[in-house]
Amino acid sequence: MRLKVLFAIILIIAVLTMGFIFPRGAIYYEEKANVVLKVIGNTHTIKPSGEFVIPEKPLQKSARVVTMYSDDPEIEKYRSYSLIINYYTAPEPPGFTENFLDDFVRGAIVGVDEYRLEGNNITVFIGNTPDWKDQIRLIRDQDMPTKEIKLFKISFDLLDTGVYSPDISGFKKYPFEYNNNPFSRIGNNRDFEGYPNFPEQGSVFKWTSNDSASELGLRGVANYLGFSYEPFNAALLCEGELYYTGQSFDGKKIYVSALCSENKERVPDIIFLKNDDGSYSAYKLSDRPPVYAYTLYGAYNTNESVGFGVYNDRGGKIELKNAAPWEIQFMKDGSWKTIFSPIAAQVITPLAEGSFKEWSWDQKLDDGSMAPFGEYRVVVDNRFMTNFRISPDVPLVDHEDTNYDSEAADGVFMDPAVQKAFGNAYTTSSYNDGLKDEMISQMQYKAWAKGLDPKKLISCINATGIYDDNTKALPSEAVYAKYNGKPVWIIVFNWGMGDESLSHIKYFIVDEAMENVEHSNGCR
């Protein structure tokens, strides 16, 4: 017993001593730049409007980035930002294209020293100065090789003594980090015995390597709707029933568990990435911004209400400039164009800490026409932004106060405006049960995000009986409303026969309480 206590004391002293050799939260890009960013999205070139602009306006290059290192307290680590670079082409800064722009692509590591921070935008203005590297540069190939941080989860082996010990063989030559405590090496399975916070099964370790090909994202960070998530080792505690968000990261589909996320902060606390073998890896929201804009989900179909808002998590007292201080912008020809802004009373609107304010957009433009498919963003109060897209290949879920009868329902849900575009995105040859399950799961996620009951929705989908005879059908729309005064789910399916698009429509009105079909109609 004394030997074990003595061993534990020696190990703790060794750990504390190594803290001076490998500082807590060791930073591998420190002193490379004031802010180090990794490009996680495609880059865009924004051209000045007008053919002849005097004086000349600069070009802009922009991309979505995530912070790898920052010595600026206003720029949060592991958070997603938009990086905007202003530069002239007449003359262009010497060497700027070949030494920067050519490699300013997804995955690039960029160091920034001089910039302006406005909301979620980091703007660098380099003009045509020859010393542009003093402001922004690629740091991937500078002083030291890029050291990526990899992650692995430990398993346990049963020792002869009957005590479980972490199995960490094969990783002895790397500097490790666990719970922000560094270890220069791990010699055998007994090295953690006596450690005060003995690792649990599934604990996440970090080690450094020059091999950057196989790590998932930056420092194990996943990104969902502009928010950063880090690996989380309690997946089994709250995995529950997972709903597909319709989004992916690094080729892996993103799911959310209603058991893990109460949605009170309007952004999921935990997400799950689906692995190739069908298992799931959990990620926890790493650094929630003090104040942030959000959208309920990342993709909407045409005519679907776009839900968004701003949440004041810990930003103190916030004042919005009016009751609806937002505008919708559309990405066109490489630049953002404002295509809708609401009319609102010009009254200062307070937003208390711990509260949120939400709005919705019906996809109508300022001229009354419907928004086209494409990439969009909401700008709230000129400082908070969130992105989304309008796409024909995603299901629509909405909540209406409308009380339908059969005639009114036929007039609305037999109109193929949504379903035609959706049906053309899929064919009977591309249909499979996996795609059907993903579509239903995505509908459940949207229902959950809107505060509706996803379990009731799946029960009502099953109550339609459309899959009883193996019909090739995908649910394209689900609306929670009333039918002759009763709460119902109105569910629209696109279906097809032979080798054709899923262009045919059939819809059902299902009593939410009794889960029986009240009315149905369809083509053919």
Side-chain angles (χ1 to χ4, degrees), residues 96-153:
F96 185 61
T97 294
E98 58 268 30
N99 294 319
F100 185 83
L101 287 184
D102 287 348
D103 294 314
F104 183 59
V105 295
R106 188 185 182 100
I109 308 296
V110 177
V112 179
D113 282 317
E114 297 181 18
Y115 55 87
R116 183 175 70 248
L117 178 64
E118 294 179 337
N120 207 49
N121 290 340
I122 300 174
T123 302
V124 179
F125 184 84
I126 66 172
N128 50 29
T129 176
D131 57 351
W132 54 270
K133 287 187 179 180
D134 292 340
Q135 296 167 274
I136 189 169
R137 59 200 176 278
L138 293 171
I139 66 172
R140 192 170 40 205
D141 299 318
Q142 288 190 359
D143 303 337
M144 65 177 182
T146 299
K147 289 191 175 181
E148 301 291 345
I149 296 180
K150 294 189 175 186
L151 304 170
F152 72 96
K153 290 185 177 182

Side-chain angles (χ1 to χ4, degrees), residues 310-326:
V310 60
Y311 188 87
N312 183 0
D313 184 51
R314 56 187 189 283
K317 183 180 179 182
I318 298 293
E319 291 186 342
L320 306 177
K321 62 182 180 181
N322 58 52
W326 54 272

Side-chain angles (χ1 to χ4, degrees), residues 442-462:
Q442 192 173 348
M443 277 187 158
Q444 289 184 281
Y445 172 71
K446 288 189 170 188
W448 172 79
K450 287 180 176 288
L452 301 170
D453 188 343
K455 292 184 178 180
K456 272 293 183 183
L457 173 57
I458 186 63
S459 296
C460 290
I461 289 175
N462 292 334

Side-chain angles (χ1 to χ4, degrees), residues 277-321:
D277 62 0
S279 64
Y280 295 89
S281 297
Y283 288 74
K284 187 176 179 64
L285 187 62
S286 55
D287 287 308
R288 190 183 295 275
V291 184
Y292 52 87
Y294 59 88
T295 180
L296 294 185
Y297 27 86
Y300 298 79
N301 207 317
T302 187
N303 288 335
E304 186 173 10
S305 296
V306 178
F308 56 91
V310 60
Y311 188 87
N312 183 0
D313 184 51
R314 56 187 189 283
K317 183 180 179 182
I318 298 293
E319 291 186 342
L320 306 177
K321 62 182 180 181

Side-chain angles (χ1 to χ4, degrees), residues 487-518:
V488 295
W489 275 104
I490 303 175
I491 304 164
V492 185
F493 294 88
N494 278 66
W495 64 280
M497 297 184 299
D499 188 13
E500 61 181 10
S501 64
L502 301 181
S503 56
H504 303 296
I505 300 169
K506 186 164 182 127
Y507 87 93
F508 301 81
I509 299 178
V510 183
D511 186 314
E512 182 193 37
M514 302 302 296
E515 297 179 6
N516 58 272
V517 177
E518 296 284 319

